[in-house]
Amino acid sequence: MTNYNKKISDTEYRLGEVRFSYAHVFVPQKTLDGSKDKYGVSIVIPKTETATLALIREGIEAAKQKGISEKWGGKLPNGLKLCLRDGDIDRPDDEAYAGCWFFNASSERKPGVRVLSGKSIVEALDEEDFYSGCYGAVTVNFFPFNSNGSKGVSAGLGNLIKTRDGERLSGGRSAEADFGDLGGADDYLD
């Protein structure tokens, strides 16, 4: 397997190969708080991917240090919320998260979405090219926040590339799977 991991800056990284879930990368989704719509994805990393997890933790630490100096009044706050979460604890009923860590990344800016096809990189055009369940690499920027009394470290979404297919996590089948056994349209004409 190719190692896509790369440190770009103190808080920005390219991570992979990871699995994508809740991929909203073509059309922004409404946010719960009613603020600006955002593009987003849940990034799922097997607990065995120690090199990738080490980079994520390094980025979170760098964002914490930035938060101490820029957002949190010179000290590390109690009850700090971190973006990296344990899938076995936070999503115990979702087998896609079993044995994995995950974090969500979002952006108001539309990410560049690509597909690695052989040795070529092509633009992903829609959910057929890039979907929840596929594998790939992502660029993220970890940053500190202090909003409405909540303090922590979150992740900004950069760009994504699909490196290989995976079982779709979207639930539901295609129309062809549901109706393919019905035969041709002539069977229904009177």
Side-chain angles (χ1 to χ4, degrees), residues 120-155:
S120 299
I121 295 175
V122 297
E123 184 174 0
L125 301 176
D126 57 29
E127 290 84 4
E128 292 302 313
D129 292 335
F130 189 98
Y131 53 88
S132 295
C134 71
Y135 292 84
V138 60
T139 55
V140 295
N141 181 43
F142 296 101
F143 63 90
F145 67 86
N146 183 357
S147 177
N148 299 323
S150 182
K151 298 174 183 174
V153 173
S154 195

Side-chain angles (χ1 to χ4, degrees), residues 46-121:
K47 290 180 178 177
T48 56
E49 291 296 324
T50 55
T52 304
L53 292 165
L55 281 179
I56 293 167
R57 289 184 176 105
E58 179 183 308
I60 289 171
E61 265 319 300
K64 282 178 170 178
Q65 295 309 310
K66 202 176 205 182
I68 289 169
S69 64
E70 297 177 10
K71 297 265 186 195
W72 306 324
K75 63 180 182 171
L76 196 62
N78 291 329
L80 193 67
K81 294 182 179 183
L82 301 180
C83 55
L84 187 62
R85 298 171 18 207
D86 187 328
D88 294 319
I89 294 171
D90 291 338
R91 301 254 171 102
D93 297 331
D94 190 337
E95 72 179 51
Y97 289 78
C100 296
W101 289 93
F102 74 98
F103 67 94
N104 299 322
S106 65
S107 175
E108 292 175 9
R109 180 190 65 83
K110 185 174 183 174
V113 185
R114 303 292 184 262
V115 176
L116 183 61
S117 179
K119 294 187 182 219
S120 299
I121 295 175

